[in-house]
Amino acid sequence: MNFQLLLVAFLFANSLGNDPSETTETTVEVSRPAYIGHMNTTMSVSCSLLHPPAGNITTTWTRKRDSKVIEDSETGFTVTTVSEENKVTLTLTIDKAVNTQDDSYECKFEKKDVSQSWTGTADVYLFIVTPHGAAVDVGDSATLSCVMTDIVKNLTVTWENGEGSDVDDLQGYSFVEGINEKGTQTSTLTIEEAQEDETFTCTLYPYEDEPYHTDVELEVDNSGRALKLSTLLTALLFIWSSL
């Protein structure tokens, strides 16, 4: 009986001294497996090695379409590595000049002395926004639009007027957010009575905290109103001179 108690006490004490990192699996976590952004904008992708083993860990990013290993000093890319307790985070920043097509990037963590490695993949999907403005006579209705192409999901869209106010909170405007149909989503804004030239902003949200803004122009022709005023003044002058 005493032997059994001693054995239990020994096992309990031994378990208290175990390092959790020795029993926790080392894995790679990609912070966002699918990154969505506008073509020719700067984007960052990152992944983390959780519960890394002790010792030196080497890291690399590889562009999968051409097996290109990306160096930190290379034009168009910046690579940063941050080591924390139980985590090593590797981030690749892609400059807008080279961010011109959909790509997949592989992050790799390697412990060369024991020939171990861990990898993850971050996919980058790029879309294009084409604004369509309008030119109308004063007092007429006008419809503006933002056409999003090469999208992989429905995008949240808002519209703001020239003063930066959300048109959803104003009278005289109506808009349709649109839905993704075969990679294309069209959002429209209708102004019931256009009064003056104005720059509206179509804002897209690939992610809640990463908006993309596009200006859409409204041109209003006041010549018709000026002609009517001129005609009215002429008529009034004629009547006054006839008195």
Side-chain angles (χ1 to χ4, degrees):
M1 187 67 172
N2 290 336
F3 173 79
Q4 291 177 332
L5 290 174
L6 287 172
L7 178 61
V8 170
F10 172 81
L11 293 175
F12 178 76
N14 190 55
S15 67
L16 291 178
N18 285 343
D19 185 353
S21 63
E22 295 177 357
T23 59
T24 303
E25 183 181 3
T26 300
T27 58
V28 172
E29 178 183 76
V30 180
S31 60
R32 188 177 287 164
Y35 292 80
I36 302 172
H38 195 277
M39 182 179 293
N40 293 122
T41 58
T42 298
M43 298 175 64
S44 292
V45 300
S46 64
C47 55
S48 299
L49 183 67
L50 306 180
H51 308 292
N56 185 49
I57 301 290
T58 61
T59 59
T60 55
W61 279 105
T62 302
R63 188 169 61 195
K64 297 181 72 171
R65 64 179 161 91
D66 55 4
S67 300
K68 179 180 180 59
V69 177
I70 300 169
E71 304 293 341
D72 182 32
S73 57
E74 190 166 343
T75 302
F77 298 97
T78 303
V79 178
T80 58
T81 304
V82 177
S83 297
E84 305 174 81
E85 184 178 0
N86 290 328
K87 182 168 71 171
V88 178
T89 299
L90 181 61
T91 300
L92 172 67
T93 300
I94 310 159
D95 187 77
K96 61 183 179 181
V98 298
N99 199 23
T100 59
Q101 66 181 81
D102 293 352
D103 266 312
S104 291
Y105 296 90
E106 180 185 80
C107 59
K108 184 176 183 179
F109 302 85
E110 191 171 10
K111 192 168 176 11
K112 293 184 177 181
D113 58 346
V114 292
S115 300
Q116 281 186 299
S117 63
W118 303 264
T119 61
T121 298
D123 295 318
V124 173
Y125 298 101
L126 302 179
F127 62 86
I128 299 173
V129 179
T130 304
H132 294 277
V136 299
D137 292 330
V138 65
D140 289 349
S141 66
T143 299
L144 314 178
S145 66
C146 276
V147 180
M148 298 148 271
T149 54
D150 297 326
I151 61 174
V152 294
K153 69 173 185 177
N154 287 330
L155 299 181
T156 299
V157 183
T158 60
W159 286 85
E160 296 82 37
N161 66 5
E163 297 178 348
S165 299
D166 191 331
V167 299
D168 204 28
D169 300 326
L170 305 173
Q171 293 184 340
Y173 302 94
S174 60
F175 81 95
V176 176
E177 188 174 61
I179 59 173
N180 176 16
E181 296 181 351
K182 298 181 179 180
T184 299
Q185 180 177 339
T186 300
S187 179
T188 60
L189 169 67
T190 299
I191 300 97
E192 293 179 4
E193 294 185 8
Q195 298 298 320
E196 59 184 359
D197 292 352
E198 193 167 359
T199 300
F200 290 83
T201 301
C202 172
T203 302
L204 323 173
Y205 293 86
Y207 304 100
E208 186 176 348
D209 58 343
E210 296 181 12
Y212 179 82
H213 309 284
T214 300
D215 289 340
V216 187
E217 302 294 336
L218 171 64
E219 298 179 1
V220 179
D221 186 357
N222 285 288
S223 61
R225 173 181 286 180
L227 180 60
K228 290 179 182 179
L229 288 174
S230 177
T231 302
L232 178 60
L233 288 173
T234 301
L236 290 174
L237 287 171
F238 177 77
I239 294 172
W240 180 77
S241 63
S242 300
L243 295 177

